[in-house]
């Protein structure tokens, strides 16, 4: 294992993925109104400022994370075991500590990133839950952005969880997408799963978009298999 320069790793985090398969995820909300709401300029500016502050927080944490003394562990065994019997056409590229799996179906496509970061020599001054939540949220946003043309309103279901027990913890966030333009319907699914145990952070993050609902189901099942195979 060797340390990875921060710029190379950040490029891998932001650019890995298969084409354009976008939004930072937001939990689904339902609002019933009888008239169109009026948003003041001050309220709009405050909302934008909050978003900017969140982005700065994520960017600062990610920079600190990859600038600390970390290394990458091999995840080939995890990928090989989980991908057995996979129904998609696949192509795997390994670079900068990340295994990127490109997936192609008859009616859609997607990607999965898999990595294992060794934090045993890291000097990060954050507790386990903070690391899981911030890294998980950031990576989920980057992964869901792979689905081109999809907005937060297209998410029809969502789930987010962070839990920790003494020396280990896990993070999971996922969402299903359904979008119709009147002629065709797109079905999507995106998920980020992370486990921090024995000073190793294992992350599996993927997104898939298709006009076939069954392909979305197959992809979510594949992500479930990854979750089952990640040691916790």
């Amino acid at each position: 294992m060797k340390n990875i320069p921060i710029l190379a790793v950040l490029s891998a985090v932001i650019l890995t993925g298969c084409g354009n398969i976008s939004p930072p995820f937001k939990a689904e909300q339902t609002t019933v109104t009888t008239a169109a709401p009026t948003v003041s300029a001050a309220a709009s500016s405050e909302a934008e400022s909050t978003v900017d502050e969140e982005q700065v927080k994520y960017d600062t944490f990610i920079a600190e994370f990859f600038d600390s003394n970390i290394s990458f562990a091999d995840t080939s065994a995890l990928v090989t075991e989980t991908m057995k019997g996979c129904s998609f056409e696949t192509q795997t590229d390994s670079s900068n500590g990340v295994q990127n799996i490109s997936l192609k179906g008859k009616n859609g496509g997607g990607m999965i990133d898999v990595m294992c970061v060794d934090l045993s020599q890291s000097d990060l001054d954050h507790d386990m839950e903070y690391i899981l939540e911030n890294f998980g949220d950031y990576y989920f946003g980057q992964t869901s952005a792979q689905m081109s043309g999809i907005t937060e309103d297209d998410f029809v279901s969502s789930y987010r969880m962070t839990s920790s027990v003494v020396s280990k913890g896990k993070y999971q966030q996922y969402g299903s997408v359904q979008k119709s333009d009147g002629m065709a319907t797109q079905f999507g699914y995106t998920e980020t799963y992370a486990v921090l145990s024995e000073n190793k952070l294992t992350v599996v993050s993927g997104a898939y978009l298709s006009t076939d609902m069954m392909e979305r189901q197959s992809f979510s099942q594949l992500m479930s298999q990854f979750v089952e195979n990640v040691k916790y």
Side-chain angles (χ1 to χ4, degrees), residues 28-232:
E28 184 183 12
Q29 297 179 339
T30 302
T31 304
V32 179
T33 59
T34 57
T38 301
V39 180
S40 68
S44 177
S45 177
E46 182 178 352
E48 291 178 1
S49 176
T50 300
V51 171
D52 289 343
E53 289 176 0
E54 286 296 311
Q55 189 61 50
V56 169
K57 184 182 79 169
Y58 288 147
D59 291 346
T60 300
F61 169 75
I62 291 299
E64 291 176 351
F65 183 90
F66 285 109
D67 199 32
S68 62
N69 190 21
I70 63 173
S71 58
F72 287 85
D74 183 24
T75 57
S76 58
L78 169 63
V79 171
T80 300
E81 178 63 26
T82 306
M83 297 300 291
K84 287 180 179 178
C86 175
S87 60
F88 298 104
E89 293 182 24
T90 64
Q91 183 175 346
T92 302
D93 175 60
S94 301
S95 61
N96 296 316
V98 181
Q99 286 207 58
N100 174 254
I101 308 164
S102 300
L103 305 172
K104 183 179 179 181
K106 292 182 178 180
N107 300 286
M111 47 70 66
I112 300 175
D113 280 348
V114 183
M115 72 178 79
C116 182
V117 185
D118 188 340
L119 301 175
S120 58
Q121 302 300 315
S122 172
D123 55 359
L124 280 173
D125 188 22
H126 299 295
D127 61 33
M128 177 172 53
E129 188 170 346
Y130 185 92
I131 292 174
L132 279 170
E133 286 193 343
N134 283 274
F135 193 88
D137 285 350
Y138 184 88
Y139 217 97
F140 183 85
Q142 296 297 322
T143 301
S144 60
Q146 298 292 323
M147 296 187 292
S148 180
I150 299 300
T151 71
E152 58 213 39
D153 293 333
D154 301 320
F155 281 82
V156 294
S157 67
S158 62
Y159 175 84
R160 180 185 183 279
M161 173 275 299
T162 303
S163 63
S164 59
V165 180
V166 188
S167 61
K168 62 182 180 180
K170 60 183 175 181
Y171 168 101
Q172 187 174 25
Q173 181 162 311
Y174 58 76
S176 295
V177 169
Q178 184 167 326
K179 179 179 182 178
S180 176
D181 60 6
M183 298 182 65
T185 301
Q186 290 182 307
F187 302 94
Y189 183 80
T190 181
E191 179 174 358
T192 297
Y193 181 75
V195 166
L196 182 53
S197 178
E198 298 178 350
N199 287 317
K200 289 186 177 180
L201 176 63
T202 303
V203 181
V204 179
S205 191
Y208 193 90
L209 192 63
S210 174
T211 55
D212 185 344
M213 184 170 62
M214 295 307 296
E215 285 190 7
R216 177 180 70 179
Q217 181 66 19
S218 295
F219 178 75
S220 65
Q221 291 174 350
L222 178 60
M223 291 298 296
S224 295
Q225 291 172 14
F226 267 108
V227 169
E228 292 176 2
N229 289 332
V230 173
K231 182 181 178 181
Y232 176 66

